[in-house]
Amino acid sequence: MLREFNPTVHTGLIQLNEVDQVEIQIASWCNRSCSFCPSGTFETPKLGMDMSTVERIVSELETIGFSKTIGLHLMCEPLMHKKIMDIIALFRQRLPGVFIRMESNGDALKKIERLGELFDHGLNEILINCYDSPAQWAALNRQLLHTSFAGGPVWYWNQWRHPPAAPKSQWRMVRVRAFHGGGFTLKNWAGHVASQRPDPVELPLALPCERPTRRVHVNYLGQVLLCNMDWRFEVVAADLRTQSLTEVINAPLLVEYRQRLAQKDRNMTLCRGCDQGAPSGVQPGYPPADIWVPWRSLWLRWCRSRYRHAIRNRFGL
């Protein structure tokens, strides 16, 4: 049974079934350098995660029967990895019940058919951020509305605004986020970028944080980090290449951080400069694909409602 996060009694120790998501830095870099992101700020070799390290992660997750979320976008552009299709296929074959997702800038999807290939290999969801302009968003939207993918239909979130009815491990969903324009209240990535907030916040924040409790973060080297804010690998807690997942999740450094974060103490390396958890303000949105979105949404609600089934049963339909 998954226990609720209770800051007043948290010991710092967790069980494997409390991990909701494993985030993996498939590649060491991103092909873009955006002002609101630390990517490009620190020198790093342009390397993809070694396949032996991927295999090790998969094996450890297979051992515990992990069936929750795999995120392949930790601090990187995942489509930069030359073997991304093989990596997705490996996770899908060995962990058939997981939900595999990634976030991307979409630059490597010049041929929209590649998107279909990602789903054919086992990806369940991709969030594509349109950073450049409304024209960029409109062009991608147009392609998604008019492309029939060879491997099967793709559920376009902006077109339906409701998730598919199928189990999440069977989804083939695209979300397109309009990230252009600016004026957003974005996090400062633990002080690695300038604050995007119109009103300053006093740091360190007196707030708890569940990220080291609910997620495991693995960099491209196979090291386990505190969280997805650690772009310089300042808080390396363990090494999944040489330690088991059972050892990793309760590494002494993670236990200490969880205990102090549960008590709203962020006066630690990385955490003291982090504004995660402060009021979010204006965030990038998901524009509707066309004018029919509200009607499709209503129709889906009706199709899935218990009232529809009750009426069908009443009249023998």
Side-chain angles (χ1 to χ4, degrees), residues 8-191:
T8 62
V9 298
H10 206 290
T11 64
L13 298 170
I14 65 171
Q15 299 174 15
L16 286 167
N17 65 352
E18 293 181 71
V19 176
D20 294 329
Q21 184 168 182
V22 177
E23 292 193 3
I24 305 169
Q25 188 184 25
I26 289 300
S28 65
W29 84 106
C30 176
N31 60 304
R32 289 194 175 215
S33 295
C34 301
S35 62
F36 51 81
C37 176
S39 177
T41 303
F42 314 116
E43 288 189 17
T44 182
K46 294 183 177 181
L47 298 172
M49 177 177 278
D50 189 83
M51 289 303 292
S52 64
T53 304
V54 177
E55 169 68 31
R56 170 72 179 180
I57 295 170
V58 171
S59 296
E60 285 296 313
L61 293 174
E62 189 178 32
T63 299
I64 67 168
F66 187 75
S67 60
K68 296 180 183 178
T69 299
I70 302 291
L72 299 178
H73 50 266
L74 176 64
M75 302 184 298
C76 73
E77 169 50 55
L79 296 180
M80 292 296 99
H81 199 298
K82 294 180 180 179
K83 295 186 177 180
I84 185 62
M85 302 291 182
D86 295 337
I87 292 171
I88 294 171
L90 183 62
F91 276 102
R92 176 56 60 216
Q93 291 163 7
R94 302 268 293 278
L95 301 164
V98 296
F99 179 68
I100 306 174
R101 70 179 303 269
M102 67 169 61
E103 298 185 13
S104 171
N105 56 40
D107 290 349
L109 296 172
K110 299 302 182 184
K111 293 183 178 180
I112 199 68
E113 291 77 17
R114 193 182 185 205
L115 188 58
E117 292 177 20
L118 292 168
F119 291 121
D120 294 344
H121 280 77
L123 187 69
N124 297 121
E125 179 185 271
I126 183 169
L127 167 59
I128 303 174
N129 289 306
C130 290
Y131 293 119
D132 297 339
S133 66
Q136 180 198 20
W137 181 91
L140 181 56
N141 177 66
R142 188 164 51 251
Q143 284 183 299
L144 288 168
L145 287 174
H146 296 96
T147 300
S148 295
F149 294 95
V154 168
W155 187 274
Y156 181 23
W157 170 265
N158 302 60
Q159 187 180 9
W160 296 98
R161 291 300 174 86
H162 274 276
K168 291 186 71 174
S169 60
Q170 298 175 18
W171 285 12
R172 294 162 57 94
M173 181 157 75
V174 182
R175 296 176 186 258
V176 180
R177 182 162 58 177
F179 220 118
H180 50 263
F184 305 124
T185 304
L186 305 175
K187 55 181 174 282
N188 71 353
W189 293 101

